[in-house]
Amino acid sequence: MTEQILDAAEHLFSRDGLYGVTLKDVAERVGVHHTLVNYYFKDKQTLFDAVIARRAGVTISARMQALDAYEDACKGKPTVEGALRAFLDTDLDLYSQGGEAWKNYGALGALMSNTRHGGELMDQHFDPVVLRLIGLLKRALPEAAEEDIFWGYHFVTGALMLTLARTGRIDRLSGGLCRSDDYEAVKARMAKFMAAGFKTICKPRNGTRSKPG
């Protein structure tokens, strides 16, 4: 029953966010009385946090393993694109291969990353794997100013969250040439595109370490 409740809540939260869903909505989707949802989860906030936590461990573990494997393979000489591919491609594989439930989770992550409470949950769950990536990027760009590395990550995560949101906007803009759920197309381009951006903003200027412009 707990998994059914979490699945239903994940679907609803991914569409309408934390404040657009009630426990009664979740109960109706499961097909039970709302008191049963209250039995397992004392309130909506507790349920929301449980939905986020359920898959967070899976994606974090997969990306940590990918980053570790990449570090071993590169023999101490990471590249920006290589580190980004380990971080991004591994995550995109989960959403492309994990079925509708993982796509819902991705959309929910995109929603929550733009709210204060969601940002706090991101801090709680995802900081270790993000900082693992940052460490590799610093080694790949040893002359870069630290703030430029963090700004680069900020832009990367923004693009990733927009992708996971699957808004359909790129479908309409491109007249169907591109699809917002085409994760393979995203994988083929995102790390390379972002790596070029990192190299540009992290390039030493006038022979000195990069500084904010």
Side-chain angles (χ1 to χ4, degrees):
M1 180 55 66
T2 302
E3 289 299 306
Q4 289 176 270
I5 293 171
L6 289 170
D7 286 343
E10 184 176 66
H11 172 82
L12 293 171
F13 286 140
S14 74
R15 296 187 317 173
D16 301 316
L18 172 61
Y19 302 109
V21 176
T22 67
L23 290 182
K24 186 177 180 181
D25 294 332
V26 176
E28 287 179 354
R29 184 168 179 82
V30 178
V32 299
H33 195 272
H34 69 85
T35 55
L36 186 59
V37 177
N38 281 117
Y39 174 78
Y40 289 101
F41 302 95
K42 66 178 183 179
D43 55 31
K44 185 172 67 171
Q45 190 70 70
T46 303
L47 176 57
F48 184 82
D49 292 357
V51 167
I52 298 302
R54 177 172 62 153
R55 298 191 198 278
V58 178
T59 178
I60 291 165
S61 176
R63 283 188 284 182
M64 281 291 198
Q65 290 178 28
L67 290 167
D68 287 345
Y70 174 68
E71 184 171 27
D72 289 342
C74 76
K75 302 185 184 304
K77 296 181 179 179
T79 66
V80 177
E81 184 175 343
L84 288 174
R85 284 200 175 279
F87 183 85
L88 292 170
D89 292 3
T90 304
D91 207 38
L92 289 166
D93 283 342
L94 281 174
Y95 298 111
S96 64
Q97 300 168 15
E100 193 61 26
W102 269 99
K103 289 183 173 67
N104 288 338
Y105 186 75
L108 175 56
L111 269 179
M112 78 168 196
S113 66
N114 290 290
T115 67
R116 183 175 297 278
H117 179 70
E120 291 170 353
L121 285 177
M122 297 289 276
D123 294 345
Q124 175 185 332
H125 291 292
F126 295 100
D127 275 7
V129 70
V130 171
L131 292 174
R132 180 79 174 83
L133 169 66
I134 294 292
L136 282 172
L137 292 172
K138 287 180 179 179
R139 288 166 55 192
L141 296 164
E143 298 301 315
E146 189 172 18
E147 60 266 34
D148 285 339
I149 299 284
F150 281 100
W151 276 120
Y153 173 75
H154 181 72
F155 304 143
V156 167
T157 196
L160 178 61
M161 290 300 104
L162 180 59
T163 296
L164 297 181
R166 292 186 299 151
T167 65
R169 177 160 167 72
I170 193 172
D171 309 52
R172 296 185 294 274
L173 282 172
S174 68
L177 187 62
C178 305
R179 300 194 327 274
S180 60
D181 62 353
D182 188 350
Y183 295 121
E184 290 304 313
V186 174
K187 276 178 58 180
R189 295 165 173 82
M190 183 178 281
K192 185 180 294 292
F193 180 87
M194 292 298 175
F198 264 101
K199 292 172 184 176
T200 298
I201 67 170
C202 293
K203 188 181 297 182
R205 302 164 196 170
N206 299 321
T208 62
R209 286 174 61 88
S210 175
K211 296 179 181 179

